[in-house]
Amino acid sequence: MNVSLLYGKKVVSTEGRQGYVISVNAAAGKIECLSCADEDENEFLIDMKNVLKIGDTILFEDRERAIKSAKPVLLGRAGYDEAGIFLGTLEDMTYSRNKILKVKIGRKSYQASELAYGDVVIAKRTKKLKRDVLKDGKVLIKKGTPLTEKILSFAEKEGELVQTNLKSL
């Protein structure tokens, strides 16, 4: 593909952001990024690593917004439950492929999805099953399992949503 074909080409992000290419930027013989502008002439950059497809339009993953909205991970900040009870300090986080999976607050680990982050970390209360959920005499969901959206969706597909909710009370 010729670089000249990129100039003026429409760009669309997976988040719906749109614009067009105003400049192609290179370094050491490699195209690094595209300089673009939206309809209000606000400029933004697209890292070539985030380009998913080049056709009539350029489809890209909008990482610039994610990077700008990212905040420092402050280990040592206070952790509380929803009732305001101090749980300890944020000790560490476990991640895989850049996704935070678990967070250690004090002596206990929490699923990252169970937490709200800000100046402090707040652990959301998640119900856990107090008894096994059974179907046709077999254990469908084990006692102690947190009732996440994924688990509730599974229970609904199996026709055991009511039983699952009742066994968490």
Side-chain angles (χ1 to χ4, degrees):
M1 172 178 267
N2 294 332
V3 170
S4 61
L5 296 175
L6 296 174
Y7 286 90
K9 192 172 279 280
K10 183 177 178 179
V11 296
V12 179
S13 79
T14 53
E15 303 291 316
R17 187 176 192 183
Q18 296 186 23
Y20 60 94
V21 178
I22 58 175
S23 176
V24 178
N25 303 337
K30 182 179 170 188
I31 296 174
E32 292 292 337
C33 65
L34 303 174
S35 182
C36 303
D38 63 16
E39 62 186 27
D40 297 325
E41 299 302 319
N42 296 315
E43 292 186 20
F44 59 96
L45 296 174
I46 300 172
D47 188 325
M48 287 303 288
K49 294 175 188 168
N50 297 329
V51 172
L52 303 173
K53 180 182 171 192
I54 298 177
D56 292 337
T57 61
I58 297 172
L59 179 65
F60 70 99
E61 185 178 15
D62 193 355
R63 298 290 305 142
E64 183 181 36
R65 286 186 180 175
I67 290 168
K68 285 184 179 177
S69 67
K71 295 181 174 96
V73 174
L74 300 174
L75 298 178
R77 77 173 86 179
Y80 297 90
D81 69 5
E82 287 179 317
I85 297 170
F86 181 71
L87 302 172
T89 58
L90 176 62
E91 302 292 330
D92 210 345
M93 296 179 166
T94 305
Y95 72 96
S96 176
R97 296 185 180 170
N98 296 340
K99 182 174 171 86
I100 298 171
L101 304 173
K102 291 194 175 200
V103 177
K104 185 176 180 190
I105 300 173
R107 295 183 186 150
K108 190 172 178 190
S109 289
Y110 298 87
Q111 296 293 323
S113 59
E114 296 176 358
L115 303 172
Y117 304 91
D119 292 334
V120 297
V121 181
I122 299 174
K124 299 174 190 170
R125 289 185 189 205
T126 51
K127 291 182 181 178
K128 292 187 179 181
L129 286 174
K130 294 181 180 166
R131 293 178 295 181
D132 291 340
V133 174
L134 305 172
K135 182 173 184 178
D136 300 327
K138 295 184 179 178
V139 176
L140 192 63
I141 308 169
K142 291 182 180 181
K143 174 183 172 182
T145 302
L147 289 185
T148 62
E149 288 181 41
K150 184 177 177 181
I151 294 295
L152 290 173
S153 176
F154 172 74
E156 186 176 25
K157 284 180 191 173
E158 294 292 326
E160 299 298 336
L161 182 60
V162 172
Q163 181 189 177
T164 303
N165 279 312
L166 287 174
K167 290 191 174 180
S168 70
L169 299 175

